[in-house]
Structures are given as structure tokens and as C-alpha cells.
Amino acid sequence: MAIGTRTGQVHLWSTNIIKKPPTLKHFCRTRFNQCIGLQRKNIRNLLISQHLIRYLLYKDIQMK
């Protein structure tokens, strides 16, 4: 089951397991990192926006 929020987040739930699976955002980050084959320390050297770099490095997550 997928549930979307007003902020654009998508939360995925499996009806076969009790625990919550990773978010779609996590899958996107993981897949991107696998495709480019870079270590986290080398992501900063990519010629992409700082916003996307912060996203890929999980720096966009608000800490409580």
C-alpha cells in the first residue's frame, strides 16, 4: 500500500509484514547511488545542484 502526503512524500506499507519498509525517497537515493557507482564522499564533486547533493547525502532531513 502506498500513501502520499501533502509534502510529496510517499510512504510504502506491506500488508504481509508488520514493520514499515523503507520510503520511496530512500529507494530513489539508493538506486541513484548504485547507478553512478560513487562513494558518498565523491558525490560532492558531481556537477549537479547543491540541493540535489544535499538530497543524495541525506542532508535535507530535518532533525527533531
Side-chain angles (χ1 to χ4, degrees):
M1 175 177 20
I3 300 172
T5 67
R6 291 182 183 175
T7 61
Q9 293 180 339
V10 176
H11 299 277
L12 303 174
W13 296 87
S14 173
T15 57
N16 294 332
I17 60 174
I18 295 174
K19 68 178 188 170
K20 182 179 174 184
T23 64
L24 183 59
K25 197 175 207 182
H26 174 74
F27 283 128
C28 292
R29 287 177 170 139
T30 303
R31 185 65 183 136
F32 183 85
N33 289 334
Q34 288 172 346
C35 288
I36 61 174
L38 289 177
Q39 294 178 342
R40 289 178 56 86
K41 64 181 180 181
N42 295 329
I43 290 176
R44 295 186 191 279
N45 299 330
L46 293 174
L47 297 175
I48 56 178
S49 72
Q50 289 297 311
H51 178 73
L52 185 53
I53 288 173
R54 289 180 55 76
Y55 173 80
L56 293 172
L57 293 174
Y58 291 80
K59 301 289 185 182
D60 65 325
I61 299 173
Q62 301 286 331
M63 301 304 288
K64 293 182 182 179

